[in-house]
Amino acid sequence: MRSLLLCLTLLVMPALAQESIVFGVHSKTAPLEWRNNGVDQGFNIELIDRIGQLMDKRILVRRKSFQQLVKDVHNPDSDIDVIAVVSPVNLDRKLSQSDPIYATHAKAYTLQGKALINSWADLIGKRVAIKKGAFVDVYLSGYPQQFERIDVDLYETGFQRLINNEVDVVIAESFVARRLLPLYPSVRSSSDALIYGAFNFVCNGKKSALMDQINDALRQLKLSGEYDKLVNKWFGTGREKVDLTSTQQRMFWLAILISIISAMGMIYTGFISVSLHKRKKALDAELMQRRRVEAEISALSKQFQSVLDGMPHGVTIVNQAMQRLWSNDNNIHLLVSPEFRYIDNHPFQLKSAVLDTLSDQHSLTADMVYQQQYWQLQIHPIAHDQVVVLLEESTEQHRLRHANEEASRLASLGELSAGIAHEINNPTGLIVHAIALFSAAMKDLTPAAQHYIKVNPFWQIAGLEPVKAMDELAQSCDTINEGAQRISRIVNDLKRYALPHLASEKTAVSLNEVVQVALRLTANQTKTHEVIIELNSPSPLVMGDAQQLHQVLINLIQNACHACPSHTGRIYIQTHLTAQHAKISISDNGCGMDSATLKRITEPFFTTHRTEGGTGLGLSVCSRIIKAHNAEMQIHSSQGKGTQINLIFPLFQ
């Protein structure tokens, strides 16, 4: 038994004495390194195991996280000797690393439907998941990018955060991403390779000598072809051996030729690229300018079109063949209506008017009439065979012209009335003078008449007894004198009403007197109505122009007479006095006004009695006069209930 134990010890001792290499792994899936049924296997494990055999060293596999392996390999006191990592092809790691083992690359992955990533510039401003310590991380340490970097421990963590919308892009190594894509169907490859790299063995910082031995063994495996068999076994591909000795010279010159051609091609490509870039910039600038001009023209065209469409007047363009080229369709029906005629009632023919305009190349302007409406027609040549036809309604202008003519006639009538009043005043003065003489003579003749009756008891005067005849004559003289005085007052009021307005001649005016004068001048209009007057005592005094105030009150009384029915109409005229204001109120029980009429009642030439001779100037003039007196005109009216107008003046102090 002791002999057997001794033999076993002798057999085990060499194995225990054999040096070992601790190989750190982290992958869980084929083809690189993973555990299947408790057995570690994969390309990296079998390769490092074969290297260990050539080095006469035992390989011990330790599984840890990738980040922990990266920390351990940088820690001189770590138990990890070697790990397999990917390094960018143009950037070496700080630690000792082997010759390239197997090529790989990394690219961008996004959710389905997102935009493709064509270059690093497309990542600007995006949230990008980067595996900490991976070869993408190593690459970016030398090439910083303008995106928001989010570190993850595993590529799978990055894919999960991508699905949760916590990141926009994941940059992952192709072998790992190829395994993860079936597990995450909403994720897709979105770019070509962004980084090229290769698998390398990386040695612990204080074991650089070990890496030299690993490289020697790795080169032996490549030269023997055993490396190619492992590649073919685990990746399904191999590397065809080439007899470099026999082809070296030919490949050398071929490489030189290709390099020269490539250099010339690069130079030519660079020249073409610069030329194209300049041309592209010029074309882009020209295109941008054209687009801006087109946008401005389009905006201007739309604006012009909206203006034309929004015009109430008709605008139409026709050619010599009477084809309508453009129209805003406003009142276009008038041009073909038989009721659309010249103002002298001659028929209108659009075709003949257009042909005459094109023949003479002179514009045509004419006043037209259509169903009690007045229009102005203009036809202007704009080309040798095109005209523009303009239609504008001029009904209101036509009525204003008539109103202006009527106002001129009224002004002339006022001047004539002033002259007539002056002419009437002269014989009226003679009558008053003669009646005064007759009255004095009657007083003197009364004693003589009484004496003569005694002499001739049968004496008669104009067929009447002398006493009765003398009474009748005295009464007639008084009546004639009173009538003459009334004529004189009316004539004087009319003369003052017709006097021109002198704004500087404002004096203290009695409102009661204004009311009395206005009533005398409108006695003929008010005789068929009941007029009720309530005048304040003492009379309110205001600073103003009596003649203008007469004009205002006369207009208001005449309007009240027009609004009231004959014999049943009542007109109330009152004067009031308060601590600060003086007021004249005129109210009636006439037809009243609706709200639409009330809003326009002071507009010049607006009247509801146009057919009865109204000019629409009365209340407009009244409003102007009241404002000139710093007063206020309040109008209250309801249809069918009458109208009340209050004139409120500042009190004369």
Side-chain angles (χ1 to χ4, degrees):
M1 187 65 180
R2 290 179 180 176
S3 300
L4 180 60
L5 291 174
L6 181 59
C7 291
L8 291 173
T9 300
L10 293 174
L11 292 174
V12 173
M13 284 295 291
L16 293 175
Q18 186 180 17
E19 293 184 19
S20 62
I21 299 175
V22 180
F23 181 55
V25 299
H26 70 280
S27 179
K28 298 179 180 179
T29 57
L32 300 172
E33 50 205 37
W34 85 102
R35 178 174 291 176
N36 187 18
N37 295 326
V39 179
D40 291 309
Q41 52 187 302
F43 173 78
N44 287 340
I45 292 177
E46 190 167 347
L47 180 61
I48 196 67
D49 187 69
R50 187 70 186 92
I51 290 172
Q53 293 176 14
L54 293 175
M55 295 172 58
D56 194 25
K57 293 185 179 182
R58 197 156 51 95
I59 302 300
L60 301 179
V61 177
R62 294 278 174 81
R63 291 195 169 272
K64 296 184 180 182
S65 68
F66 178 78
Q67 283 72 22
Q68 186 60 48
L69 289 175
V70 172
K71 291 179 180 179
D72 287 345
V73 81
H74 284 82
N75 182 8
D77 299 325
S78 170
D79 60 338
I80 299 298
D81 298 322
V82 180
I83 63 173
V85 294
V86 180
S87 296
V89 295
N90 58 344
L91 186 65
D92 292 335
R93 293 181 180 269
K94 296 180 181 179
L95 300 177
S96 299
Q97 64 183 36
S98 69
D99 294 339
I101 299 174
Y102 197 80
T104 185
H105 63 271
K107 57 184 178 178
Y109 294 85
T110 63
L111 293 176
Q112 297 283 354
K114 298 294 183 180
L116 295 176
I117 307 299
N118 297 314
S119 65
W120 290 98
D122 293 338
L123 297 176
I124 294 176
K126 290 184 167 54
R127 300 169 297 173
V128 182
I130 304 295
K131 181 180 176 182
K132 188 66 177 174
F135 88 113
V136 179
D137 185 11
V138 175
Y139 174 85
L140 293 178
S141 64
Y143 298 89
Q145 301 294 325
Q146 296 178 356
F147 54 73
E148 181 182 354
R149 171 176 171 156
I150 298 177
D151 292 332
V152 295
D153 57 343
L154 296 170
Y155 290 125
E156 189 168 5
T157 305
F159 278 33
Q160 292 172 354
R161 298 191 69 173
L162 181 65
I163 292 175
N164 295 331
N165 201 29
E166 297 175 3
V167 297
D168 302 313
V169 181
V170 177
I171 299 181
E173 193 266 323
S174 60
F175 281 112
V176 181
R178 194 180 303 161
R179 168 182 64 85
L180 294 175
L181 285 178
L183 304 177
Y184 299 91
S186 61
V187 179
R188 70 164 183 178
S189 170
S190 299
S191 74
D192 294 327
L194 296 176
I195 308 172
Y196 290 94
F199 282 93
N200 302 81
F201 292 126
V202 176
C203 197
N204 188 293
K206 68 178 183 179
K207 298 181 179 181
S208 57
L210 178 61
M211 183 52 65
D212 293 336
Q213 299 176 30
I214 291 175
N215 267 331
D216 291 338
L218 180 60
R219 290 163 189 159
Q220 292 181 39
L221 292 174
K222 288 183 177 180
L223 291 174
S224 66
E226 190 173 353
Y227 169 83
D228 294 332
K229 292 179 180 178
L230 289 177
V231 171
N232 187 56
K233 173 183 177 181
W234 293 105
F235 298 102
T237 59
R239 185 177 61 156
E240 182 179 353
K241 291 185 178 181
V242 179
D243 185 1
L244 296 179
T245 304
S246 60
T247 60
Q248 182 178 7
Q249 191 71 19
R250 182 166 52 88
M251 294 301 296
F252 175 74
W253 290 110
L254 180 61
I256 292 177
L257 178 61
I258 293 175
S259 299
I260 294 173
I261 295 174
S262 299
M264 294 176 61
M266 290 178 64
I267 294 172
Y268 181 73
T269 302
F271 174 75
I272 295 297
S273 177
V274 171
S275 300
L276 290 177
H277 182 68
K278 291 181 179 179
R279 182 58 178 165
K280 180 178 180 298
K281 288 181 64 177
L283 290 176
D284 289 343
E286 183 180 354
L287 180 61
M288 186 178 299
Q289 178 69 16
R290 288 189 178 184
R291 287 177 177 173
R292 183 166 58 251
V293 172
E294 288 176 359
E296 292 175 356
I297 293 174
S298 177
L300 184 62
S301 176
K302 291 179 180 178
Q303 189 177 24
F304 182 68
Q305 183 69 37
S306 63
V307 169
L308 290 177
D309 291 339
M311 289 176 59
H313 313 313
V315 181
T316 304
I317 298 177
V318 297
N319 60 11
Q320 193 169 8
M322 300 309 296
Q323 294 176 333
R324 190 171 68 178
L325 305 179
W326 182 89
S327 174
N328 63 358
D329 294 328
N330 288 339
N331 307 309
I332 192 65
H333 62 283
L334 298 181
L335 298 176
V336 295
S337 174
E339 300 181 42
F340 189 63
R341 293 173 170 267
Y342 292 102
I343 199 167
D344 58 3
N345 209 32
H346 280 76
F348 169 74
Q349 292 292 332
L350 177 62
K351 184 175 182 180
S352 60
V354 170
L355 294 178
D356 291 343
T357 301
L358 290 174
S359 175
D360 300 338
Q361 285 295 305
H362 290 296
S363 300
L364 169 67
T365 302
D367 291 325
M368 314 296 290
V369 64
Y370 174 78
Q371 294 182 353
Q372 305 301 321
Q373 293 178 334
Y374 293 91
W375 296 81
Q376 186 181 70
L377 171 70
Q378 298 182 44
I379 303 178
H380 303 283
I382 57 176
H384 68 281
D385 63 343
Q386 295 179 11
V387 299
V388 58
V389 182
L390 305 177
L391 275 174
E392 179 181 358
E393 187 179 2
S394 59
T395 304
E396 191 64 24
Q397 291 88 330
H398 184 80
R399 291 175 179 172
L400 288 176
R401 283 199 301 270
H402 281 279
N404 188 38
E405 294 171 0
E406 184 68 21
S408 298
R409 287 196 296 271
L410 290 175
S412 300
L413 182 60
E415 295 176 1
L416 180 62
S417 299
I420 293 173
H422 178 73
E423 295 298 328
I424 292 174
N425 206 27
N426 291 331
T428 302
L430 295 176
I431 293 172
V432 171
H433 179 72
I435 290 301
L437 178 62
F438 290 162
S439 296
M442 290 299 298
K443 292 179 181 179
D444 295 338
L445 291 174
T446 298
Q450 292 175 352
H451 177 74
Y452 187 72
I453 291 173
K454 295 178 181 179
V455 177
N456 186 6
F458 300 102
W459 178 51
Q460 292 184 340
I461 300 175
L464 298 176
E465 294 179 359
V467 176
K468 188 174 182 180
M470 294 300 289
D471 291 339
E472 287 289 338
L473 286 173
Q475 186 175 359
S476 296
C477 286
D478 292 340
T479 302
I480 293 171
N481 184 61
E482 182 181 352
Q485 292 292 341
R486 179 177 175 80
I487 291 172
S488 179
R489 286 196 303 272
I490 292 174
V491 168
N492 287 333
D493 292 341
L494 187 59
K495 286 174 67 178
R496 285 198 300 271
Y497 181 76
L499 285 175
H501 166 55
L502 298 175
S504 61
E505 295 184 1
K506 288 187 178 180
T507 59
V509 179
S510 169
L511 293 187
N512 289 357
E513 183 182 349
V514 170
V515 173
Q516 292 167 350
V517 171
L519 286 173
R520 286 198 298 270
L521 291 175
T522 57
N524 188 54
Q525 289 95 331
T526 59
K527 64 185 179 182
T528 59
H529 302 84
E530 181 182 356
V531 180
I532 302 173
I533 303 172
E534 295 181 8
L535 302 179
N536 190 82
S537 182
S539 175
L541 295 179
V542 299
M543 179 64 77
D545 187 328
Q547 179 262 330
Q548 286 190 335
L549 296 180
H550 295 159
Q551 182 179 355
V552 170
L553 204 58
I554 289 171
N555 269 297
L556 297 181
I557 292 173
Q558 289 176 341
N559 287 345
C561 292
H562 292 154
C564 293
S566 298
H567 306 294
T568 60
R570 290 187 180 87
I571 301 173
Y572 301 86
I573 304 177
Q574 300 171 304
T575 59
H576 302 276
L577 182 63
T578 65
Q580 295 180 343
H581 298 94
K583 182 171 71 171
I584 300 177
S585 296
I586 303 173
S587 57
D588 61 67
N589 63 343
C591 59
M593 294 175 284
D594 56 22
S595 59
T597 303
L598 197 59
K599 289 179 180 178
R600 302 185 59 192
I601 195 66
T602 58
E603 291 183 12
F605 305 109
F606 175 78
T607 179
T608 56
H609 301 284
R610 182 82 64 187
T611 57
E612 301 170 10
T615 63
L617 292 172
L619 280 179
S620 174
V621 173
C622 290
S623 176
R624 176 178 56 80
I625 293 174
I626 292 300
K627 289 180 181 178
H629 282 73
N630 297 322
E632 179 183 2
M633 181 166 64
Q634 298 176 345
I635 304 176
H636 306 281
S637 183
S638 298
Q639 200 165 15
K641 296 183 179 180
T643 301
Q644 180 178 358
I645 300 178
N646 298 324
L647 306 179
I648 303 174
F649 299 86
L651 192 62
F652 172 69
Q653 301 295 336

